[in-house]
Amino acid sequence: MLQRWMGFFWLSLCLVALLPCPASAAEITLVREGEPTATIVLAAQPTKAAQLAAYELQYHVALITGATLPVANEGDTVTGTRILVGDSTATQALGLRNADLKLQEYLIDFRPETLVLLGHDDDDRSEVKYEDYLTFPDLWTERGTLSATYEFLEDFLGVRWFRSGEFGMDYPRETTLTVSGETRRKTPAFRHLYSYIAGSISGGIWNKAVSNWVPAEPESAFSESIIYPDLQEKYKPTSREYLAVIRRDTALFLLRRRMGGEPFSANHSFYGYYDRFWKENPKRPELWEGHRPEYFATDSLDKDGRPYQMAFHNRAFIAQVVKDAREYFETGKAYPGAMAQGDYFGVAPMDNRLYGEAPEVRAWRNDEAAKPGMFSNGVWSDYIWNFTNEVAKQLVEDYPDKYITQIAYAGMAYPPTDRVPILSPNIAIMLCVPEVVSWYNPAERENMLEMIAGWRKKAPTNPLYAWCYYNFPKFYTFRNPKAFHFFPLVNAHTWNAQIKLFHREGFRGVFMEDVPTDVDGYLVLKLWQDPTANVDDLLDEYFTRYYGHAAAPMKKIYEKMEAINADGSNYMMGVHRASSPVV
C-alpha cells in the first residue's frame, strides 16, 4: 500500500510551497481536531457536476482528517465556514455565476468564512449516486465545478491519484485542516483529452490499460490480486459486482485526471457508405439508399469485391458528404460509420492508401513528397486535402462555428502543396504522429517536427489536434503474446518534450491510442493536464509518495529503463533504428 508517513509534511508543502499566500488571503478552517467546522453547500437543485464534486470533496477530506463534512442545500441552516460547490444564489450574491464562465472555465475563490468551488457546468440536474458510476457526469459534458474541486484537492489538500482505486491514492493525514490562497480562474491547457480507455464512462479498466502484462498472462491476474485483495475475497473477479467496483474506480480516475472535455472526432469516416451505397446489407436493410458506384474507387477492389476507397474527386460523392454534414449540423444525426461529435464532422478516408489508378486520381498523386523509410509523408496530401477543402468551403458560410475534421495521417500526413493554396478556416486537423514512440530515431523525430512546422505554416489559424500512438510496442504483445513480450515504454523526458511542444504550437487536444504503462500512464495524463509542470519534480514526487522507503531504488530502475528506451541501437530488426529507419 502507499506510504502514509508524509502527513504534515505534504500538507505544509501544498499550502506553503505550492501556493504562497498574500497576507490578505482569507484563511479557512475545514476541520479542527478531527471535528468538521465547515459545511458543503449546494444549490437547491445542483448540477450533476456539483453533486459529484461535493461527494468527492467530502470523501477526500474524510480520508485526510477522519471527519465527514456535512452537505446542505440552499435553504438549510448552515453554521461555520461555507464551502459553496457549484452555481447557487449564494455564489451569485458574491458576483460569481455559471453563466459568466467560458466553456470549461472554473475558479477557486477564498472569501472570509467562505470557499467557492465553481465552474461552467452543463445544466443536467439528475441525481448522482456516489456508488453508481453510471450516474456520473459524462466525459464530454461541461463539468467545470468538478475541475475546480479536483484542483483544490490536488494543490491545496495534497491529494494524489497515481492510478485508479484506493491502492493508487496518496494523501496527507492531519486532524486540523486549514487552507488559504489566492483566487484562481482557469481553463484547461488542452480542451480535448481522450483515449480508447475512456471510450465511455463505463468503458475500459485503467489498471489493465497501464499494466505491463496482457490479460492472458498469469502475471496480469497476480498484479490485480495485489491491487484488489479485499475485493477478490468478496467477489469472483469475473462477477458483475467485482467489475462494477473497478469500473467505478476507473470512471473516477478518468474524471479526476480531467479526461474528456470538448467533444471532438476525427477518424476513418466512410465505412458506413458500403451499406448505404455499395451493396444492401441484409442485416441492416434500413441503411440502404441505392447503388452509387460513382462514389467509390471501383478500379481497386478487396477480396470481397468491395472498393478499398472512395472516389474523393467525384462531384457527386462530394455533394453527398456535404449533405450528410449539413444533416448532422442541423439535426445531430450521424449515420452508422460516420465520425461526428459536438461541432465536428469527420471526412477521413479508409485506413489504407489504395486510392485507385483512375487518371483523375493519379493526377493528384505527388511522388516527390515521399519520405523513404517514413510512415508519415505527403504523397496523397494534395488529393485528400483538396477533397476536404471542397467539402468545407460549401459549409463554412452556413455553419461558421462548425468544423470539418480530417486526419493528417500516413500518405496524407504532410500539408498539401500550393495546388491547394488556402485551407478553409472551418477545417480542424488531427495530426497523427506515430513518431512519438520513436524519438530515439533522429530521422523520425525530424519528420514529426517538420510536419508540425508545415501545418502551422499552411494552416496558421485552423484548430490542430494530436493523435499519439502510445500503443507501441505493447501492440505487438497483444497481437501475439506467446511470441513477443514488450519492454515497458518508459520515456518520461521524451513525453515531457513532446507535450510541451504541442502546447507551444497551440494544439487544442489529443487522442491517445492506448496509454503508456505505469509510471508513464500517470505521467502523460498529468503533463497533458499541465504541460508547464516540471517532469523531474513529477517523477520525484511519484516515487517518493508511491513507493516510500523504496523510492530511491525504484527510481534508479526507472532511469535505467528510460536510458534503454532512448537508445536506438537497442531495438530489434524490424523496429525503427536510429542508423537506418525502415517502414
Side-chain angles (χ1 to χ4, degrees):
M1 292 297 292
L2 295 177
Q3 306 299 312
R4 306 299 186 193
W5 51 268
M6 289 76 73
F8 181 75
F9 168 77
W10 285 111
L11 184 60
S12 301
L13 175 65
C14 187
L15 301 182
V16 179
L18 291 180
L19 292 167
C21 304
S24 60
E27 188 175 83
I28 297 170
T29 299
L30 307 182
V31 177
R32 181 176 287 111
E33 296 300 325
E35 295 296 327
T37 57
T39 299
I40 300 170
V41 182
L42 296 166
Q45 292 184 306
T47 64
K48 289 185 74 167
Q51 291 176 64
L52 185 56
Y55 279 126
E56 288 278 73
L57 179 61
Q58 184 185 54
Y59 170 72
H60 286 90
V61 169
L63 289 177
I64 294 168
T65 67
T68 300
L69 299 179
V71 178
N73 293 94
E74 286 185 315
D76 297 337
T77 301
V78 175
T79 58
T81 298
R82 300 180 304 167
I83 308 174
L84 304 180
V85 177
D87 191 36
S88 64
T89 56
T91 63
Q92 293 168 18
L94 297 174
L96 305 172
R97 64 189 70 239
N98 185 71
D100 295 336
L101 297 173
K102 297 179 292 186
L103 292 178
Q104 300 189 39
E105 190 175 20
Y106 60 91
L107 62 87
I108 301 169
D109 194 29
F110 294 87
R111 303 288 179 98
E113 296 300 312
T114 301
L115 169 67
V116 180
L117 303 173
L118 173 65
H120 190 275
D121 294 342
D122 278 348
D123 191 30
D124 183 350
R125 301 175 189 272
S126 53
E127 183 182 6
V128 171
K129 298 177 181 178
Y130 198 39
E131 296 305 315
D132 184 359
Y133 64 91
L134 295 175
T135 68
F136 293 173
D138 187 84
L139 295 174
W140 305 117
T141 58
E142 286 289 316
R143 53 180 200 275
T145 296
L146 259 179
S147 296
T149 302
Y150 289 141
E151 185 156 318
F152 176 76
L153 289 170
E154 286 188 291
D155 289 359
F156 291 82
L157 301 190
V159 176
R160 294 294 181 269
W161 307 287
F162 293 118
R163 64 190 304 160
S164 70
E166 291 188 4
F167 184 89
M169 293 174 58
D170 190 41
Y171 44 86
R173 292 289 182 88
E174 192 57 58
T175 57
T176 295
L177 197 56
T178 299
V179 295
S180 61
E182 296 179 310
T183 296
R184 294 186 181 187
R185 186 164 179 167
K186 298 172 63 176
T187 53
F190 296 97
R191 299 170 54 165
H192 173 86
L193 181 60
Y194 176 57
S195 174
Y196 285 141
I197 190 66
S200 67
I201 202 69
S202 59
I205 297 170
W206 180 262
N207 285 324
K208 290 186 181 294
V210 296
S211 173
N212 285 308
W213 307 99
V214 299
E217 295 174 304
E219 291 87 352
S220 176
F222 176 72
S223 65
E224 191 163 314
S225 72
I226 296 173
I227 297 171
Y228 291 106
D230 296 337
L231 191 63
Q232 292 204 353
E233 286 185 11
K234 189 175 181 180
Y235 302 115
K236 291 183 178 180
T238 56
S239 69
R240 293 174 61 185
E241 294 85 355
Y242 181 89
L243 292 174
V245 172
I246 58 177
R247 282 178 174 159
R248 175 184 179 273
D249 284 351
T250 295
L252 285 171
F253 181 79
L254 297 177
L255 289 166
R256 291 165 181 169
R257 290 273 57 91
R258 323 303 199 268
M259 191 75 84
E262 175 193 46
F264 173 85
S265 182
N267 207 335
H268 310 291
S269 308
F270 296 110
Y271 286 104
Y273 270 46
Y274 291 121
D275 289 346
R276 294 175 65 193
F277 303 114
W278 181 251
K279 184 179 180 180
E280 185 174 0
N281 183 347
K283 296 180 180 180
R284 301 295 304 275
E286 71 279 6
L287 298 178
W288 181 244
E289 297 182 41
H291 187 46
R292 300 299 300 269
E294 68 273 21
Y295 289 2
F296 299 86
T298 54
D299 61 341
S300 183
L301 306 179
D302 65 17
K303 60 182 178 57
D304 297 319
R306 298 197 320 176
Y308 281 107
Q309 283 287 359
M310 311 307 298
F312 293 100
H313 59 282
N314 183 272
R315 304 310 303 181
F317 170 67
I318 293 172
Q320 181 65 55
V321 177
V322 170
K323 179 176 178 293
D324 287 353
R326 286 186 181 278
E327 187 171 5
Y328 173 72
F329 291 148
E330 291 287 347
T331 69
K333 178 181 178 179
Y335 290 89
M339 292 293 162
Q341 194 175 10
D343 294 330
Y344 300 88
F345 185 85
V347 297
M350 280 69 165
D351 195 5
N352 62 69
R353 308 184 200 186
L354 304 174
Y355 297 105
E357 299 296 327
E360 302 93 327
V361 176
R362 297 291 300 179
W364 285 98
R365 181 180 171 117
N366 180 15
D367 288 318
E368 293 182 1
K371 295 280 182 177
M374 297 293 156
F375 178 79
S376 303
N377 60 66
V379 172
W380 291 105
S381 291
D382 286 355
Y383 183 48
I384 297 303
W385 289 98
N386 180 70
F387 154 74
T388 307
N389 215 30
E390 289 297 310
V391 172
K393 287 189 300 184
Q394 297 185 49
L395 297 162
V396 64
E397 186 173 333
D398 292 335
Y399 309 100
D401 298 325
K402 309 293 184 182
Y403 292 90
I404 294 299
T405 65
Q406 186 59 272
I407 53 175
Y409 170 68
M412 47 188 276
Y414 271 74
T417 68
D418 290 341
R419 292 185 69 184
V420 188
I422 298 175
L423 285 186
S424 186
N426 62 328
I427 296 175
I429 302 157
M430 173 69 92
L431 186 57
C432 301
V433 280
E435 294 83 0
V436 292
V437 295
S438 54
W439 261 38
Y440 57 79
N441 179 336
E444 293 270 351
R445 183 168 62 249
E446 290 305 314
N447 198 43
M448 175 176 160
L449 295 173
E450 187 178 340
M451 284 189 293
I452 293 174
W455 278 110
R456 263 294 160 243
K457 182 178 180 180
K458 185 71 176 183
T461 62
N462 292 69
L464 285 183
Y465 297 78
W467 183 308
C468 294
Y469 293 79
Y470 295 133
N471 55 336
F472 292 99
K474 188 195 306 187
F475 174 81
Y476 297 121
T477 302
F478 273 81
R479 292 186 68 179
N480 193 350
K482 293 182 179 180
F484 181 89
H485 189 83
F486 68 92
F487 189 85
L489 194 58
V490 175
N491 281 320
H493 292 85
T494 293
W495 311 139
N496 177 64
Q498 292 170 354
I499 293 171
K500 283 176 167 51
L501 169 66
F502 290 128
H503 187 231
R504 288 196 305 271
E505 294 295 338
F507 280 66
R508 285 167 55 146
V510 60
F511 170 74
M512 298 179 291
E513 186 160 330
D514 210 337
V515 289
T517 53
D518 268 346
V519 176
D520 293 30
Y522 164 78
L523 191 69
V524 294
L525 289 190
K526 190 68 175 174
L527 287 167
W528 282 110
Q529 177 188 327
D530 179 12
T532 67
N534 183 295
V535 67
D536 291 307
D537 290 345
L538 292 176
L539 284 170
D540 286 342
E541 180 182 72
Y542 182 97
F543 286 102
T544 300
R545 297 188 64 172
Y546 196 82
Y547 290 107
H549 294 299
M554 292 301 295
K555 187 177 181 186
K556 188 174 182 180
I557 292 171
Y558 181 91
E559 290 170 343
K560 179 64 175 178
M561 293 169 67
E562 184 177 16
I564 292 171
N565 267 296
D567 185 350
S569 66
N570 289 323
Y571 288 79
M572 59 187 246
M573 188 64 65
V575 179
H576 297 291
R577 281 183 169 273
S579 58
S580 56
V582 296
V583 175

